[in-house]
Amino acid sequence: MAYIPPTFISHGSPMLMLEPGRAGPAWRALAEKLLRPRAILAVSAHWNTRVPTVSASPQPETIHDFYGFPQPLYALAYPAPGAPDLAAEVAGLVPGIHIDRERGLDHGAWSPLSTMYPAADIPVVQLSVMPQASAEEHYRLGQALQTLTQNGVLIMASGGLTHNLRDIVADAEDGAALSYVAEFRDWFVRTLLQRDLPALFDWRRRAPHAARAHPSPEHLLPLYVALGAAGDAATAHIAYRDYQLAALALDALVFTADDA
């Protein structure tokens, strides 16, 4: 099977499903540049567990895990089939991983995928993140999954390069950003492009405004899984950059192995 580079999508507000703005076409364009995957492993910021866990439902439900949005959002469904066989592959690569045979697709998975692959005809499973675990531990988790990228599996990490919902500016124009949001984003992307792993692993202490940009880490942790899965010499490429609601950096990244 062909190589498919891991990606990281800042999925932004669920309202992008009704009002895709600039992000929707950018996500679709990104998917069109990739080879069609045989299956997708979605690493979602919205599934938090104590130990690594992979879903194995043969027909995962669409989970509407958000509140206070317009009713049409709750009518959306993403009826992609599950992939118990892929879940078994993942379990074979990660010792001690748990398998959840009931978990559906939360909006960290289905919101970007509904734009990237709207036909919902590619099997999808989810992988959890562990907020109590370090960035480096998530990177090592990604390293364990590297062989999947060589076998037609898209590892699609979904979170947010910044994620402080308390700082959202409801009437902000797309592209506008609070100063601390831009400073954190620029530091992180620059450090990522330089592949400074010690700094990236220590982002909580080294990045400007880290605690404000991420009051809790779960929206950044999926990125480390994708980075680790791309291999030790992977190069980061910016597929899309923007800001939403002033507090959300919407970067989408592709991690390409140099020997791919």
Side-chain angles (χ1 to χ4, degrees):
M1 297 290 290
Y3 169 76
I4 301 179
T7 65
F8 172 74
I9 306 293
S10 296
H11 60 248
S13 165
M15 285 301 294
L16 288 173
M17 298 303 95
L18 298 180
E19 302 169 357
R22 297 188 290 247
W27 295 348
R28 181 62 181 157
L30 171 57
E32 290 173 349
K33 291 179 181 178
L34 301 173
L35 294 177
R36 178 179 170 85
R38 67 173 173 92
I40 297 168
L41 178 63
V43 187
S44 174
H46 290 276
W47 190 15
N48 298 169
T49 59
R50 296 289 300 177
V51 298
T53 308
V54 64
S55 68
S57 170
Q59 192 60 58
E61 66 172 325
T62 302
I63 303 173
H64 299 88
D65 53 334
F66 41 77
Y67 308 95
F69 287 90
Q71 187 58 39
L73 264 178
Y74 301 94
L76 296 179
Y78 190 70
D85 56 340
L86 175 57
E89 286 184 68
V90 172
L93 296 170
V94 182
I97 195 171
H98 288 190
I99 298 177
D100 186 328
R101 303 186 189 280
E102 303 296 328
R103 176 77 182 188
L105 301 179
D106 60 52
H107 83 275
W110 67 261
S111 62
L113 289 178
S114 66
T115 297
M116 297 173 72
Y117 301 103
D121 57 354
I122 300 174
V124 183
V125 302
Q126 280 200 212
L127 181 68
S128 68
V129 296
M130 300 147 288
Q132 80 286 355
S134 68
E136 183 171 2
E137 287 173 293
H138 284 83
Y139 178 84
R140 304 302 175 200
L141 174 60
Q143 285 183 310
L145 302 171
Q146 186 177 353
T147 57
L148 297 178
T149 69
Q150 306 288 342
N151 289 287
V153 175
L154 170 60
I155 296 178
M156 192 277 295
S158 175
L161 206 60
T162 62
H163 191 260
N164 187 335
L165 301 184
R166 293 190 296 269
D167 284 347
I168 279 177
V169 180
D171 59 352
E173 295 183 2
D174 285 350
L178 299 170
S179 60
Y180 87 86
V181 171
E183 289 176 28
F184 177 90
R185 181 265 169 203
D186 290 348
W187 179 92
F188 198 94
V189 171
R190 181 174 64 252
T191 307
L192 189 61
L193 294 177
Q194 294 169 347
R195 198 173 172 79
D196 184 347
L197 291 181
L200 290 169
F201 294 158
D202 196 26
W203 68 275
R204 275 288 195 195
R205 290 196 310 118
R206 300 199 196 186
H209 316 291
R212 188 175 179 188
H214 287 278
S216 57
E218 71 280 349
H219 273 74
L220 198 55
L221 294 175
L223 182 149
Y224 288 93
V225 179
L227 180 61
D232 293 339
T235 302
H237 303 274
I238 303 169
Y240 176 64
R241 64 169 297 183
D242 204 351
Y243 297 98
Q244 182 190 27
L245 303 172
L248 305 178
L250 289 187
D251 291 72
L253 301 158
V254 179
F255 301 105
T256 303
D258 288 347
D259 56 355

